[in-house]
Amino acid sequence: MNVRFAERGTLREVNAYRATESAAAGRSPVTFDLSSNELALPPLPTALAVIEEGLTRLARYPDPTARALTEEIAGHLRLRADEVAVGPGSAGVLQQILLALCGEGDEVVYAWPGFDAYPLLVAISGATGVHVPLTSSGEHDLDGIRAAVGARTRVVILCSPHNPTGTVIDRDRLHRFLHALPDHVVTVLDEAYVEFDRGGDPPGTPEVMRAHGNTVVLRTFSKAYGLAGLRVGYAAGPRQVISTVRKTALPFGVTHIAEQAAILSLHSAAELRERLAAVTAAREELTAALRQLGLPVLPSRANFVWLPLPSAAESLARTAATAGVRVRACPGYGVRISVGEAEAHRALLTALGGAARGNWF
Ligand SMILES: Cc1ncc(COP(=O)(O)O)c(C=O)c1O
């Protein structure tokens, strides 16, 4: 049948988002998935109880404004409720931001490689993505990003800790960069992994917002809080931007269960601290063990590690797959490995240790 329709121009070069390509992994069965930066632990115990209770309410729509969670987050960050917008994952909130601020002919600037969803979400908004390569040490090239900002730029996305390299933008450089941006640009600071930056000195959300009017901070309950399957995240920013961002929200986008689990997660600071300590200790052990095998690993502040192996990314992913471990190959750049179960690390290290070093260099 002849189907006639007009696809939006910016979508033509874009693929629908999908989980890690199996091409690199071949057809091996996956026992351990270290490709999506999920937590290898269940949600915090306090949040689990409320998830069960929420099952009895599934015939009802959730609160369309997720007011209780919005207020809880605002209290947590010492902001006002009109400075917070909650949505279905921070990717969902980023989509709202881009739809609210950009359209055809506009540009969105971000570092590359970066979070796979950025190009897709930018294309959905109708805008064009401008990629600025990371530095050789896997960091944002803030001068390069500043130079890429022009009259058409509506949004700059910064990611700290950065996916996929785990590097952070330090506080002074961030302030200097934001200070130097022209007024017509909104910066989205994606902090999906900020909770894992223990011992670091990330600027607090209110501090960034008060110092720079046009900055929106993006956070999620998917990573440190272990609620990726429930889809809940938020943006904190100036009230004027937040009120625009709310207009592009999918009605009822945050379920009642997600809202309640997120509220309880915010109340579970001690449980969270314990788990962050375990994840960051496992990250350091994994880093040391990979280095012992002679592999290059960047110091990471997130729940994953990055191996800058531009020409061996796929072959490393294939070797990992022979042990049932799925990792994320970024061909031409490197490999990202999420911190997982001790057993997953053992399987991975055994497989990599058994391969000839010449495979990677
Ligand atoms: C940098 C970054 N931002 C945002 C997200 C999206 O998280 P979610 O939509 O689950 O909140 C991810 C997920 O991998 C990510 O890596």
Side-chain angles (χ1 to χ4, degrees):
M1 199 197 306
N2 192 13
V3 181
R4 289 168 60 85
F5 69 104
E7 185 181 48
R8 182 190 267 177
T10 55
L11 290 179
R12 270 178 216 132
E13 304 300 315
V14 175
N15 292 319
Y17 192 85
R18 44 186 176 181
T20 303
E21 236 335 295
S22 55
R27 301 236 171 266
S28 318
V30 178
T31 310
F32 301 108
D33 191 344
L34 305 184
S35 72
S36 294
N37 299 342
E38 297 149 334
L39 212 62
L41 296 164
L44 298 170
T46 324
L48 267 183
V50 83
I51 290 171
E52 276 168 31
E53 180 266 327
L55 294 177
T56 58
R57 281 187 96 259
L58 286 180
R60 302 272 172 201
Y61 283 108
D63 171 3
T65 59
R67 201 182 58 222
L69 176 57
T70 305
E71 285 173 1
E72 195 69 39
I73 293 166
H76 187 72
L77 295 176
R78 283 169 279 112
L79 301 174
R80 295 198 332 232
D82 60 3
E83 295 175 309
V84 174
V86 173
S90 56
V93 184
L94 178 59
Q95 179 172 9
Q96 289 176 229
I97 295 172
L98 296 172
L99 287 172
L101 302 182
C102 309
E104 309 262 334
D106 295 335
E107 292 180 351
V108 179
V109 181
Y110 49 92
W112 200 255
F115 177 32
D116 287 342
Y118 293 159
L120 176 63
L121 299 178
V122 170
I124 290 171
S125 78
T128 303
V130 177
H131 291 188
V132 176
L134 294 172
T135 67
S136 56
S137 50
E139 293 172 287
H140 282 67
D141 171 7
L142 291 179
D143 292 336
I145 292 177
R146 175 66 192 87
V149 168
R152 293 172 163 215
T153 309
R154 291 285 161 270
V155 174
V156 168
I157 306 174
L158 304 177
C159 182
S160 181
H162 187 59
N163 174 7
T165 55
T167 56
V168 296
I169 304 171
D170 84 41
R171 183 193 204 105
D172 289 346
R173 289 181 63 228
L174 177 70
H175 279 303
R176 273 201 304 278
F177 173 81
L178 293 175
H179 189 67
L181 275 185
D183 286 348
H184 68 277
V185 178
V186 168
T187 303
V188 175
L189 177 60
D190 184 344
E191 292 192 333
Y193 301 97
V194 74
E195 293 88 353
F196 300 104
D197 184 13
R198 289 160 55 87
D201 185 24
T205 303
E207 174 193 322
V208 176
M209 281 171 50
R210 301 288 173 243
H212 309 282
N214 272 10
T215 307
V216 175
V217 177
L218 208 54
R219 296 239 181 125
T220 183
F221 290 93
S222 296
K223 305 297 179 181
Y225 294 99
L227 297 180
L230 284 183
R231 313 305 304 126
V232 54
Y234 62 91
R239 139 183 92 69
Q240 299 87 334
V241 178
I242 292 298
S243 94
T244 305
V245 166
R246 287 189 178 151
K247 295 181 191 174
T248 52
L250 180 74
F252 307 110
V254 177
T255 65
H256 176 73
I257 294 182
E259 182 178 16
Q260 294 305 314
I263 291 173
L264 284 186
S265 295
L266 287 176
H267 289 179
S268 310
E271 289 173 7
L272 179 71
R273 262 197 308 278
E274 211 176 287
R275 108 170 350 180
L276 292 177
V279 173
T280 49
R283 174 186 74 203
E284 296 313 310
E285 280 168 25
L286 178 62
T287 302
L290 289 165
R291 285 181 180 156
Q292 277 219 318
L293 295 178
L295 289 161
V297 187
L298 294 192
S300 169
R301 305 277 196 88
N303 67 333
F304 52 84
V305 296
W306 173 251
L307 286 64
L309 288 168
S311 51
E314 285 166 297
S315 75
L316 192 142
R318 268 195 300 275
T319 304
T322 60
V325 182
R326 177 184 276 167
V327 299
R328 176 70 63 113
C330 304
Y333 296 106
V335 180
R336 192 192 70 199
I337 305 174
S338 310
V339 174
E341 307 86 339
E343 219 184 329
H345 291 187
R346 271 195 298 277
L348 172 74
L349 292 164
T350 307
L352 298 182
R357 205 180 124 75
N359 284 6
W360 324 130
F361 299 100

